[in-house]
Amino acid sequence: MNPNDLITPVILSGGSGTRLWPVSTSERPKQFLNLTGPMSMFQMTLERCQEASLFDLPIIVGGEKHAALAEEQMDEIGAKVQAHILEPCARNTAPAIALAALACKYPQSLLLVMPSDHIIKNIPAFQDAVRQSVSLAKARWLVTFGIEPHGAETGYGYIQQGDPVFGSAGSFSAQRFVEKPNQSNAEKMLAEGGYYWNAGIFLFRADTYLEALAEHAPEMLQATKKAMEKASRDEAQIKPDTTSFANAPSDSIDYAIMEKAEKVAVTPVDPGWSDVGSWDSLFEISLSDDDSNVISGDVIAVESKNNLIHSDGLEITTFGVENLIIIAAGNRIMVLPKGQSQHVRKIVTARNKTP
């Protein structure tokens, strides 16, 4: 690849994170937490796009509120970026990606869009899928990466594959996007085959994306263009104009573009992916002890089995308990049965209502 052909990673780090409460908070959402090792998920996302023969410097798109935290974590691992775009307000993924497309070096630049709060264990498999999809993206396809499903999950959206794309090595047209299904429909899709988990990872040319916005979401394109035209800049930091960006319709890339555009492809991949969307999913991807407990922090589990116990500061000791999630952070403690962590948002809502 010559320098102009290098892929520009676009790392979306604007999530506010309530599903991993009480550790994840609006001040320090989950992408900035060290939940699976010595680095945060944001830092691990930066690390997985350091292959100099494949990637240009990344563009970060995140909330202005977390700018200092993001840059502190970039400095910790020595990560350089070509731009750090600070969203003045949250408008979902489609406008955020538009800001990056407008900020990149060349209109034909390939953008690899990735959330900053996912885990990918098999980096070579992921990078191979990206390489496999480059020719499609150059040919103006909007490529999404479908994760080979490992079960009938109801917490993810799905992508149904269509016909193979001519000239590609294992990519398919995306026949349809499926909302998060109920258990019965998830099991049917898994049995039928040809469905993949929607990881929210994309590869396309910047100008292809902007042209799709012009066709399917022109108000969004107009608002983000104005926001970037009026943006203030300080070295790598870019602050889009607040009023203009707030006028952009708030919509995800799936709703705004991927479900409507014609040339949409899916590349299947199985890279050990998790969106770490709940305490249960963290349990599933973490190493456990001989009693199937996943433990972090100052914890002693006696005759206890199959628990997730996480402590930030407090001493936690259990005896004879099974199948629990026990989380301590500061002066907050949460206990709930394993398999029920999708209800954490209800807990947060109830806490917020408490006088």
Side-chain angles (χ1 to χ4, degrees):
M1 279 189 179
N2 66 53
N4 290 358
D5 284 340
L6 292 175
I7 297 168
T8 298
V10 174
I11 299 175
L12 305 178
S13 66
S16 58
T18 59
R19 291 183 292 175
L20 293 179
W21 187 90
V23 175
S24 175
T25 64
S26 60
E27 290 75 29
R28 196 178 185 93
K30 72 170 183 172
Q31 61 267 31
F32 299 114
L33 299 174
N34 298 21
L35 290 172
T36 62
M39 289 194 294
S40 71
M41 287 183 280
F42 174 67
Q43 290 172 320
M44 288 189 285
T45 307
L46 285 164
E47 286 281 293
R48 80 175 64 113
C49 53
Q50 294 299 305
E51 177 61 54
S53 65
L54 184 61
F55 296 115
D56 201 345
L57 292 177
I59 295 174
I60 312 298
V61 186
E64 189 170 358
K65 178 179 181 179
H66 302 125
L69 179 56
E71 294 188 354
E72 176 186 323
Q73 294 202 351
M74 287 184 242
D75 289 342
E76 284 177 4
I77 61 171
K80 305 297 182 185
V81 300
Q82 62 174 282
H84 184 191
I85 302 174
L86 308 182
E87 294 176 286
C89 57
R91 306 306 293 153
N92 215 316
T93 54
I97 297 165
L99 296 177
L102 291 163
C104 67
K105 294 177 183 176
Y106 313 104
Q108 299 83 15
S109 292
L110 293 179
L111 307 182
L112 177 64
V113 178
M114 297 177 287
S116 62
D117 57 355
H118 292 181
I119 297 294
I120 293 178
K121 292 185 176 179
N122 190 340
I123 306 302
F126 174 67
Q127 292 182 348
D128 285 347
V130 172
R131 288 188 177 93
Q132 169 190 325
S133 306
V134 164
S135 60
L136 275 180
K138 284 185 174 181
R140 293 185 170 273
W141 284 80
L142 298 162
V143 182
T144 185
F145 294 89
I147 306 298
E148 300 273 2
H150 290 259
E153 288 286 344
T154 59
Y156 305 139
Y158 286 71
I159 306 163
Q160 183 183 19
Q161 73 177 41
D163 295 328
V165 178
F166 179 76
S168 72
S171 298
F172 302 85
S173 64
Q175 185 164 320
R176 70 183 179 117
F177 287 75
V178 182
E179 291 293 317
K180 294 177 182 178
N182 59 31
Q183 190 65 39
S184 174
N185 287 338
E187 290 171 359
K188 287 177 184 176
M189 288 189 290
L190 201 67
E192 183 179 333
Y195 287 87
Y196 305 95
W197 292 338
N198 184 355
I201 303 173
F202 309 94
L203 181 71
F204 38 66
R205 281 172 40 167
D207 55 359
T208 301
Y209 181 71
L210 295 175
E211 286 167 13
L213 280 179
E215 181 176 355
H216 301 292
E219 290 180 19
M220 188 181 296
L221 178 61
Q222 183 180 16
T224 51
K225 272 187 173 179
K226 283 186 177 179
M228 290 298 281
E229 287 168 2
K230 298 179 180 179
S232 61
R233 289 169 166 80
D234 182 8
E235 295 182 344
Q237 275 195 4
I238 301 175
K239 296 182 180 180
D241 177 68
T242 301
T243 303
S244 302
F245 189 64
N247 287 332
S250 178
D251 217 344
S252 72
I253 179 177
D254 285 338
Y255 288 135
I257 300 300
M258 304 301 285
E259 294 181 3
K260 299 173 183 176
E262 291 184 8
K263 292 180 70 172
V264 177
V266 57
T267 298
V269 62
D270 189 9
W273 171 88
S274 172
D275 73 343
V276 199
S278 67
W279 289 112
D280 283 297
S281 64
L282 180 64
F283 179 90
E284 290 166 8
I285 65 170
S286 301
L287 294 175
S288 58
D289 64 16
D290 292 342
D291 291 316
S292 298
N293 296 304
V294 172
I295 289 172
S296 61
D298 191 351
V299 175
I300 298 175
V302 181
E303 296 184 28
S304 300
K305 296 180 180 179
N306 203 36
N307 302 292
L308 171 66
I309 310 175
H310 177 99
S311 173
D312 282 352
L314 289 180
E315 297 178 8
I316 298 179
T317 307
T318 66
F319 180 88
V321 302
E322 298 183 8
N323 301 312
L324 289 180
I325 295 171
I326 303 172
I327 310 296
N331 62 352
R332 300 184 179 108
I333 300 173
M334 179 183 71
V335 181
L336 70 163
K338 270 184 78 265
Q340 298 295 312
S341 62
Q342 71 271 24
H343 297 306
V344 166
R345 282 179 172 163
K346 293 181 182 178
I347 294 171
V348 175
T349 300
R351 293 294 309 174
N352 289 340
K353 288 180 180 178
T354 303

